[in-house]
Amino acid sequence: MSSQHTDDISEVPAVGTDSPFRQEHVRRDEAPQFVLPLVVRIEKAEPPARTDALQTAARAVLVLLTDERARGGGEWAEAVRDWQDARIRKVVRRARGAEWRKAETLPGVTVQGDAAQVRVFPPVPLDGWPKELAKLQVSGTDLDDPEPVAPVAEPFLPVLWLNPGLDMSAGKAMAQAGHAAQLAWWELTGAERAAWQESGFRLAVRTAPRERWAELSGSGLPVVRDAGFTEIAPGSATVVADHPALRARL
């Protein structure tokens, strides 16, 4: 098992004009490959709850995509475009103490959850990691929810539904939740995106009830299908992005 969780999204269509799945992008495998680094803060004495970390990672991806440095002529924009024009890979690693403080000195954005902290960085070449991040790992550390996770009570809250039949580590699930948030983002209109951003990208991550998974994954909502680099079989459906604006169009 690798010490990092590197995942990409398979051929899932999206309609946003900034989607790398536009028809003209047919040579993604031949393009230079980039990854989006995410680092979760896991202090030994006070690790974050698993669901909090997953939700914070998903929000961090959206925060990066909407950062002014990642858009137009911003300093991260070219790297983001190159990343989106190839395979959409994300890598989640852990840090604590001095490692976290060093990570905070690199260009990026720290996103705060209830207690979880995730720092997202602009995309880097697959083999071109900053040395401060290259030595970080995530294998060997998993996260738990110390209390039962409450059902989602808000009818208009976007929910990222995890496949109940897959056993994913925290790092793997964080990457997959990030993929799902990104797929949902690509399919939203400008007004829908603005409303989500104004809310602070509020969302929930939950494991789908087993009896609902077939319905959710076949509903027409965005589905993440894993490339199979780590932990699970290629083509596995991992997360369904259930955004109310997308559900209303089904």
Side-chain angles (χ1 to χ4, degrees):
M1 182 73 61
S2 169
S3 64
Q4 64 187 43
H5 295 283
T6 305
D7 306 278
D8 70 16
I9 305 173
S10 63
E11 302 280 353
V12 181
V15 300
T17 57
D18 54 352
S19 168
F21 300 112
R22 299 190 302 273
Q23 188 172 5
E24 62 265 30
H25 288 287
V26 295
R27 298 182 180 273
R28 294 185 297 119
D29 289 323
E30 298 176 15
Q33 298 296 302
F34 288 74
V35 295
L36 185 76
L38 298 103
V39 175
V40 56
R41 184 178 186 179
I42 303 180
E43 299 293 345
K44 187 177 296 186
E46 296 183 288
R50 180 185 176 95
T51 296
D52 187 15
L54 267 58
Q55 292 173 169
T56 307
R59 290 176 50 236
V61 171
L62 298 171
V63 168
L64 184 283
L65 290 174
T66 55
D67 192 290
E68 62 181 11
R69 291 166 290 184
R71 303 168 63 187
E75 60 192 277
W76 300 345
E78 183 176 0
V80 170
R81 285 193 294 269
D82 288 343
W83 169 61
Q84 292 194 122
D85 283 347
R87 288 215 173 250
I88 311 302
R89 300 181 182 223
K90 298 179 181 68
V91 175
V92 179
R93 294 182 175 178
R94 73 169 188 257
R96 64 172 181 256
E99 294 173 334
W100 176 258
R101 291 191 291 274
K102 287 180 181 178
E104 285 192 302
T105 67
L106 300 178
V109 183
T110 297
V111 177
Q112 179 73 50
D114 291 337
Q117 288 182 290
V118 174
R119 189 164 179 83
V120 59
F121 304 86
V124 298
L126 195 59
D127 58 355
W129 280 71
K131 62 181 181 180
E132 295 88 349
L133 302 182
K135 63 183 179 181
L136 300 179
Q137 295 186 348
V138 75
S139 66
T141 296
D142 211 338
L143 299 170
D144 297 312
D145 285 307
E147 303 291 337
V149 180
V152 177
E154 299 179 50
F156 298 107
L157 184 69
V159 182
L160 309 179
W161 294 106
L162 301 174
N163 185 337
L166 296 177
D167 183 15
M168 294 185 285
S169 68
K172 181 75 170 182
M174 289 171 69
Q176 299 297 305
H179 291 338
Q182 191 167 2
L183 287 183
W185 180 256
W186 282 332
E187 296 204 21
L188 295 175
T189 67
E192 291 162 351
R193 289 180 175 188
W196 201 8
Q197 185 174 5
E198 287 170 8
S199 79
F201 295 118
R202 295 185 68 249
L203 56 82
V205 177
R206 296 291 187 272
T207 299
R210 289 184 179 274
E211 66 274 12
R212 287 197 62 205
W213 178 249
E215 172 200 344
L216 285 165
S217 59
S219 66
L221 291 166
V223 180
V224 178
R225 296 191 181 276
D226 190 61
F229 290 124
T230 62
E231 297 192 22
I232 56 178
S236 297
T238 58
V239 192
V240 172
D242 188 359
H243 192 290
L246 301 181
R247 178 167 288 282
R249 295 203 284 270
L250 294 179

